Amino acid sequence: MIGWAGLAGCAVLILGTTVAPWFVPHHDWVADTISDRAAGEWEIIMDVSLYAFATGRFCLALGAAHAHSGGTQWSLGVVSLGLLAAVVTIIAARNELGDGDSEGVEIHIYLVYGQGLFFLLPTSVDGLYERALGILSCAILAVLCSVFIGYGRRVSPGQNAFTR
């Protein structure tokens, strides 16, 4: 179930990222970032997508914790998955960037830096770059999802697939 939840989170993120631009006037598919789509009247589309993605990451962190091999690197991976899920949740909740609103604390840009270095390219193409990184992230998580789905298929209910 954990692997399927992770895949569902990735699928909802991809769906939301694809659908949201249709509701944003004058959207530029190459230059405009996810944050540009997560602001304004239809922000709920991207917000729900980001929450689903974060939930999928949390589920994978739980699965990885359950499958813990005992090593320090594995522990760092588990904590990283959980922290990145929290970062995505806060990004969705504190979408202060892209809507021209100056109220509240501006932490959005720092959280985006926490997800990866999106600002290496000119702003004329950073939206495309951000979406490519999102697809790459989903692809990496999909590998972990497939591992957990495979483990789930090999055991009977009540057994621990990771200690066999």
Side-chain angles (χ1 to χ4, degrees), residues 16-32:
T17 304
T18 304
V19 169
W22 296 104
F23 293 91
V24 177
H26 311 293
H27 178 75
D28 183 338
W29 285 82
V30 176
D32 291 346

Side-chain angles (χ1 to χ4, degrees), residues 8 31 74:
W74 193 269

Side-chain angles (χ1 to χ4, degrees), residues 47-69:
D47 287 349
V48 168
S49 299
L50 289 169
Y51 289 137
F53 185 55
T55 301
R57 275 188 172 177
F58 274 125
C59 287
L60 291 174
L62 289 172
H66 185 66
H68 201 293
S69 67

Side-chain angles (χ1 to χ4, degrees), residues 68-162:
H68 201 293
S69 67
T72 303
Q73 292 86 358
W74 193 269
S75 294
L76 289 173
V78 170
V79 170
S80 295
L81 275 172
L83 287 176
L84 287 171
V87 166
V88 171
T89 301
I90 296 168
I91 287 173
R94 296 287 306 165
N95 57 348
E96 287 294 322
L97 192 65
D99 61 359
D101 183 357
S102 61
E103 295 177 14
V105 177
E106 176 54 63
I107 60 170
H108 182 96
I109 197 162
Y110 304 111
L111 295 174
V112 171
Y113 279 128
Q115 287 291 112
L117 298 175
F118 294 142
F119 301 105
L120 299 175
L121 299 173
T123 57
S124 61
V125 295
D126 62 359
L128 181 62
Y129 183 59
E130 184 180 66
R131 282 190 294 284
L133 289 176
I135 292 292
L136 178 62
S137 176
C138 285
I140 292 167
L141 293 175
V143 172
L144 187 57
C145 292
S146 68
V147 169
F148 292 154
I149 291 168
Y151 281 142
R153 288 184 177 157
R154 286 195 295 252
V155 296
S156 303
Q159 286 184 310
N160 184 338
F162 302 108

